[in-house]
mmCIF file of all heavy atoms in Angstrom:
data_model
loop_
_atom_site.group_PDB
_atom_site.id
_atom_site.type_symbol
_atom_site.label_atom_id
_atom_site.label_comp_id
_atom_site.label_asym_id
_atom_site.label_seq_id
_atom_site.Cartn_x
_atom_site.Cartn_y
_atom_site.Cartn_z
ATOM 1 N N MET A 1 11.156 22.254 17.194
ATOM 2 C CA MET A 1 9.795 22.675 16.790
ATOM 3 C C MET A 1 8.808 22.397 17.929
ATOM 4 O O MET A 1 8.875 21.352 18.568
ATOM 5 C CB MET A 1 9.375 21.881 15.537
ATOM 6 C CG MET A 1 8.087 22.381 14.901
ATOM 7 S SD MET A 1 7.429 21.273 13.619
ATOM 8 C CE MET A 1 8.601 21.490 12.306
ATOM 9 N N ASP A 2 7.950 23.388 18.200
ATOM 10 C CA ASP A 2 6.906 23.220 19.211
ATOM 11 C C ASP A 2 6.065 21.986 18.820
ATOM 12 O O ASP A 2 5.713 21.810 17.652
ATOM 13 C CB ASP A 2 6.035 24.487 19.193
ATOM 14 C CG ASP A 2 5.001 24.455 20.291
ATOM 15 O OD1 ASP A 2 4.135 23.568 20.232
ATOM 16 O OD2 ASP A 2 5.057 25.311 21.184
ATOM 17 N N ALA A 3 5.747 21.135 19.833
ATOM 18 C CA ALA A 3 5.036 19.879 19.523
ATOM 19 C C ALA A 3 3.746 20.123 18.755
ATOM 20 O O ALA A 3 3.392 19.362 17.852
ATOM 21 C CB ALA A 3 4.743 19.130 20.813
ATOM 22 N N SER A 4 3.036 21.223 19.088
ATOM 23 C CA SER A 4 1.754 21.476 18.431
ATOM 24 C C SER A 4 1.928 21.901 16.969
ATOM 25 O O SER A 4 0.984 21.899 16.197
ATOM 26 C CB SER A 4 0.972 22.548 19.188
ATOM 27 O OG SER A 4 1.727 23.732 19.214
ATOM 28 N N ASN A 5 3.163 22.294 16.587
ATOM 29 C CA ASN A 5 3.419 22.676 15.197
ATOM 30 C C ASN A 5 3.833 21.491 14.333
ATOM 31 O O ASN A 5 4.006 21.640 13.135
ATOM 32 C CB ASN A 5 4.543 23.725 15.126
ATOM 33 C CG ASN A 5 4.072 25.053 15.691
ATOM 34 O OD1 ASN A 5 2.881 25.338 15.650
ATOM 35 N ND2 ASN A 5 4.991 25.823 16.221
ATOM 36 N N ARG A 6 4.027 20.360 14.983
ATOM 37 C CA ARG A 6 4.464 19.196 14.203
ATOM 38 C C ARG A 6 3.314 18.692 13.343
ATOM 39 O O ARG A 6 2.141 18.827 13.702
ATOM 40 C CB ARG A 6 4.955 18.100 15.150
ATOM 41 C CG ARG A 6 6.317 18.491 15.724
ATOM 42 C CD ARG A 6 7.007 17.468 16.577
ATOM 43 N NE ARG A 6 6.407 16.154 16.626
ATOM 44 C CZ ARG A 6 6.050 15.572 17.768
ATOM 45 N NH1 ARG A 6 6.148 16.183 18.915
ATOM 46 N NH2 ARG A 6 5.578 14.350 17.748
ATOM 47 N N PRO A 7 3.610 18.099 12.174
ATOM 48 C CA PRO A 7 2.529 17.609 11.318
ATOM 49 C C PRO A 7 1.725 16.507 12.003
ATOM 50 O O PRO A 7 2.229 15.829 12.898
ATOM 51 C CB PRO A 7 3.248 17.095 10.074
ATOM 52 C CG PRO A 7 4.675 16.925 10.461
ATOM 53 C CD PRO A 7 4.941 17.863 11.595
ATOM 54 N N PHE A 8 0.478 16.356 11.559
ATOM 55 C CA PHE A 8 -0.435 15.453 12.275
ATOM 56 C C PHE A 8 0.091 14.034 12.401
ATOM 57 O O PHE A 8 -0.124 13.358 13.401
ATOM 58 C CB PHE A 8 -1.831 15.469 11.611
ATOM 59 C CG PHE A 8 -1.916 14.701 10.321
ATOM 60 C CD1 PHE A 8 -2.166 13.337 10.294
ATOM 61 C CD2 PHE A 8 -1.732 15.351 9.105
ATOM 62 C CE1 PHE A 8 -2.245 12.632 9.108
ATOM 63 C CE2 PHE A 8 -1.810 14.661 7.910
ATOM 64 C CZ PHE A 8 -2.055 13.298 7.910
ATOM 65 N N TRP A 9 0.825 13.550 11.391
ATOM 66 C CA TRP A 9 1.279 12.162 11.442
ATOM 67 C C TRP A 9 2.405 11.959 12.465
ATOM 68 O O TRP A 9 2.721 10.835 12.808
ATOM 69 C CB TRP A 9 1.708 11.666 10.048
ATOM 70 C CG TRP A 9 2.831 12.426 9.421
ATOM 71 C CD1 TRP A 9 4.163 12.153 9.525
ATOM 72 C CD2 TRP A 9 2.720 13.580 8.578
ATOM 73 N NE1 TRP A 9 4.895 13.074 8.818
ATOM 74 C CE2 TRP A 9 4.031 13.959 8.217
ATOM 75 C CE3 TRP A 9 1.661 14.330 8.088
ATOM 76 C CZ2 TRP A 9 4.302 15.052 7.395
ATOM 77 C CZ3 TRP A 9 1.928 15.416 7.264
ATOM 78 C CH2 TRP A 9 3.227 15.769 6.928
ATOM 79 N N GLU A 10 2.975 13.089 12.940
ATOM 80 C CA GLU A 10 4.017 12.966 13.979
ATOM 81 C C GLU A 10 3.449 13.177 15.381
ATOM 82 O O GLU A 10 4.048 12.784 16.359
ATOM 83 C CB GLU A 10 5.132 13.994 13.729
ATOM 84 C CG GLU A 10 5.962 13.650 12.505
ATOM 85 C CD GLU A 10 7.101 14.637 12.290
ATOM 86 O OE1 GLU A 10 7.311 15.521 13.131
ATOM 87 O OE2 GLU A 10 7.773 14.517 11.249
ATOM 88 N N ARG A 11 2.314 13.847 15.451
ATOM 89 C CA ARG A 11 1.806 14.134 16.805
ATOM 90 C C ARG A 11 0.565 13.331 17.169
ATOM 91 O O ARG A 11 0.174 13.284 18.324
ATOM 92 C CB ARG A 11 1.611 15.631 16.998
ATOM 93 C CG ARG A 11 0.484 16.260 16.291
ATOM 94 C CD ARG A 11 0.478 17.788 16.419
ATOM 95 N NE ARG A 11 -0.046 18.342 15.211
ATOM 96 C CZ ARG A 11 -1.324 18.352 14.894
ATOM 97 N NH1 ARG A 11 -2.200 17.864 15.748
ATOM 98 N NH2 ARG A 11 -1.730 18.837 13.745
ATOM 99 N N LYS A 12 -0.079 12.672 16.183
ATOM 100 C CA LYS A 12 -1.286 11.894 16.491
ATOM 101 C C LYS A 12 -1.017 10.408 16.312
ATOM 102 O O LYS A 12 -0.234 10.014 15.428
ATOM 103 C CB LYS A 12 -2.426 12.279 15.527
ATOM 104 C CG LYS A 12 -2.997 13.662 15.758
ATOM 105 C CD LYS A 12 -4.221 13.850 14.864
ATOM 106 C CE LYS A 12 -4.892 15.176 15.122
ATOM 107 N NZ LYS A 12 -6.125 15.314 14.325
ATOM 108 N N GLU A 21 -7.323 12.863 7.393
ATOM 109 C CA GLU A 21 -5.896 12.678 7.662
ATOM 110 C C GLU A 21 -5.492 11.234 7.350
ATOM 111 O O GLU A 21 -4.459 10.987 6.715
ATOM 112 C CB GLU A 21 -5.597 13.005 9.130
ATOM 113 C CG GLU A 21 -5.700 14.480 9.441
ATOM 114 C CD GLU A 21 -5.700 14.793 10.930
ATOM 115 O OE1 GLU A 21 -6.015 13.889 11.762
ATOM 116 O OE2 GLU A 21 -5.416 15.953 11.273
ATOM 117 N N LEU A 110 2.878 13.891 1.337
ATOM 118 C CA LEU A 110 2.603 14.811 2.448
ATOM 119 C C LEU A 110 3.847 15.636 2.790
ATOM 120 O O LEU A 110 3.740 16.744 3.284
ATOM 121 C CB LEU A 110 2.164 14.032 3.693
ATOM 122 C CG LEU A 110 0.725 13.530 3.715
ATOM 123 C CD1 LEU A 110 0.506 12.637 4.936
ATOM 124 C CD2 LEU A 110 -0.270 14.676 3.703
ATOM 125 N N ILE A 111 5.005 15.096 2.518
ATOM 126 C CA ILE A 111 6.254 15.809 2.820
ATOM 127 C C ILE A 111 6.737 16.590 1.596
ATOM 128 O O ILE A 111 7.118 17.752 1.701
ATOM 129 C CB ILE A 111 7.336 14.826 3.308
ATOM 130 C CG1 ILE A 111 6.867 14.220 4.635
ATOM 131 C CG2 ILE A 111 8.684 15.524 3.461
ATOM 132 C CD1 ILE A 111 7.812 13.234 5.249
#
Side-chain angles (χ1 to χ4, degrees):
M1 189 191 289
D2 185 296
S4 60
N5 290 333
R6 286 186 8 236
F8 76 86
W9 60 91
E10 290 182 5
R11 72 187 147 76
K12 289 187 176 184
E21 289 168 339
L110 282 173
I111 296 180

